[in-house]
Amino acid sequence: MKKSIQCHGCGSEMNSWDIRLTKTFKAKNTCEKCFCEIYDMDEDGFREQMEDFFGMRPCQGL
């Protein structure tokens, strides 16, 4: 069984999108919610920026 990864900021369980963001920013395990707080953005705005600058977007399930 695979061990879940926790966000170091809020302790929530990270999903594959959070892990991709963490690798992109070369950060310590950080979830999207915490990135949004760090950059003072809402989720939609943050995702739009990720797509514009890095060509990244989460899977349709998120």
Side-chain angles (χ1 to χ4, degrees):
M1 182 175 216
K2 193 172 182 180
K3 183 179 176 184
S4 67
I5 300 172
Q6 308 298 317
C7 173
H8 88 283
C10 67
S12 66
E13 185 175 341
M14 293 179 52
N15 58 38
S16 61
W17 173 242
D18 297 327
I19 293 168
R20 286 176 61 201
L21 292 171
T22 293
K23 289 178 181 179
T24 299
F25 284 96
K26 296 181 177 25
K28 186 175 181 181
N29 297 337
T30 305
C31 70
E32 180 181 39
K33 177 182 164 202
C34 288
F35 276 120
C36 287
E37 289 178 13
I38 291 167
Y39 293 106
D40 193 28
M41 299 176 84
D42 65 19
E43 187 178 275
D44 291 332
F46 181 75
R47 289 180 179 187
E48 186 176 306
Q49 289 295 316
M50 295 283 61
E51 186 167 4
D52 288 347
F53 288 109
F54 296 107
M56 293 175 55
R57 61 181 158 207
C59 68
Q60 295 298 321
L62 294 180

